[in-house]
């Protein structure tokens, strides 16, 4: 499950922060894109998947951006001044956004990045499982619709319709969903 490279987006107007993060998150383990414009960052997030998004608070502009980006599957860390940490953290944590104090201790920051990587792995697993479940549900709905059509049009029982779909799939070397699609096309 270990990836070769973690794609990171850093959004900050602070050149010192850009330099620190660039030195800490180096290739080949990290690929870091650094942007200073929040609108450009929104465009990039809509075009590309990042494992981790790091956002500087930037007088509050960072909050709006992270809330917009929270729909993505990225792990998002909002670098927040200590004076606003509690308020900002409370506001964004319900969106799955992690607040980190800035300035930060480099050891603490690197540990937060490692935690973000672990969270990202878990998100990928859960996303994959969700996709598989959605596909399975669609297959079940399709087969059930085909069985209903067979029951209505050919006066079959539910068991007979189920058996018919399974037998046709086996005889023709097709998946049950392919047979179900043909039934739906025929009787819809």
């Amino acid at each position: 499950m270990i990836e070769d490279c973690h794609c990171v987006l850093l959004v900050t107007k602070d050149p010192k922060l850009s330099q620190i993060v660039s030195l800490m998150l180096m290739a080949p383990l990290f690929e870091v894109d650094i942007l200073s414009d929040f609108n450009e960052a929104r465009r990039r997030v809509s075009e590309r998947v990042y494992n981790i998004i790091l956002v500087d608070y930037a007088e509050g502009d960072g909050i709006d951006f992270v809330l917009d980006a929270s729909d993505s599957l990225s792990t998002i860390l909002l670098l927040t001044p200590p004076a606003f940490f509690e308020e900002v953290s409370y506001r964004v944590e319900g969106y799955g956004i992690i607040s980190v104090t800035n300035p930060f201790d480099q050891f603490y920051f690197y540990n937060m990045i490692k935690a973000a990587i672990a969270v990202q792995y878990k998100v990928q697993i859960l996303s994959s499982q969700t996709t598989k479940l959605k596909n399975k549900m669609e297959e079940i709905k399709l087969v059930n619709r085909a069985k209903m059509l067979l029951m209505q049009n050919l006066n079959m029982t539910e068991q007979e319709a189920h058996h018919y779909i399974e037998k046709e799939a086996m005889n023709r070397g097709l998946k049950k969903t392919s047979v179900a699609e043909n039934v739906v096309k025929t009787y819809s």
Side-chain angles (χ1 to χ4, degrees), residues 103-115:
F104 49 79
D105 172 82
Q106 290 185 2
F107 179 75
Y108 168 74
F109 178 75
Y110 193 74
N111 282 332
M112 289 302 296
I113 293 296
K114 297 299 272 179

Side-chain angles (χ1 to χ4, degrees), residues 45-159:
V45 168
S46 71
E47 294 175 352
R48 180 174 180 192
V49 176
Y50 289 95
N51 301 108
I52 300 170
I53 300 175
L54 298 169
V55 182
D56 192 6
Y57 178 77
E59 290 86 42
D61 292 338
I63 293 176
D64 294 333
F65 172 74
V66 295
L67 293 177
D68 290 344
S70 68
D71 290 339
S72 73
L73 294 177
S74 304
T75 302
I76 303 173
L77 283 79
L78 179 60
L79 305 172
T80 309
F84 304 116
F85 182 79
E86 287 299 321
E87 174 190 340
V88 169
S89 181
Y90 179 76
R91 182 171 173 201
V92 301
E93 66 188 13
Y95 294 89
I97 299 164
I98 302 167
S99 297
V100 179
T101 56
N102 183 28
F104 49 79
D105 172 82
Q106 290 185 2
F107 179 75
Y108 168 74
F109 178 75
Y110 193 74
N111 282 332
M112 289 302 296
I113 293 296
K114 297 299 272 179
I117 290 169
V119 167
Q120 188 60 40
Y121 286 142
K122 198 54 120 170
V123 166
Q124 289 171 354
I125 290 168
L126 292 173
S127 176
S128 173
Q129 290 173 343
T130 301
T131 301
K132 287 177 185 175
L133 286 173
K134 283 181 181 178
N135 291 340
K136 188 68 176 168
M137 291 295 294
E138 289 301 316
E139 289 174 10
I140 290 169
K141 282 171 56 176
L142 178 63
V143 170
N144 284 341
R145 183 163 180 226
K147 287 193 302 188
M148 187 62 80
L149 287 169
L150 289 170
M151 291 164 59
Q152 289 173 347
N153 291 292
L154 300 179
N155 296 322
M156 291 183 178
T157 66
E158 195 268 339
Q159 280 184 328

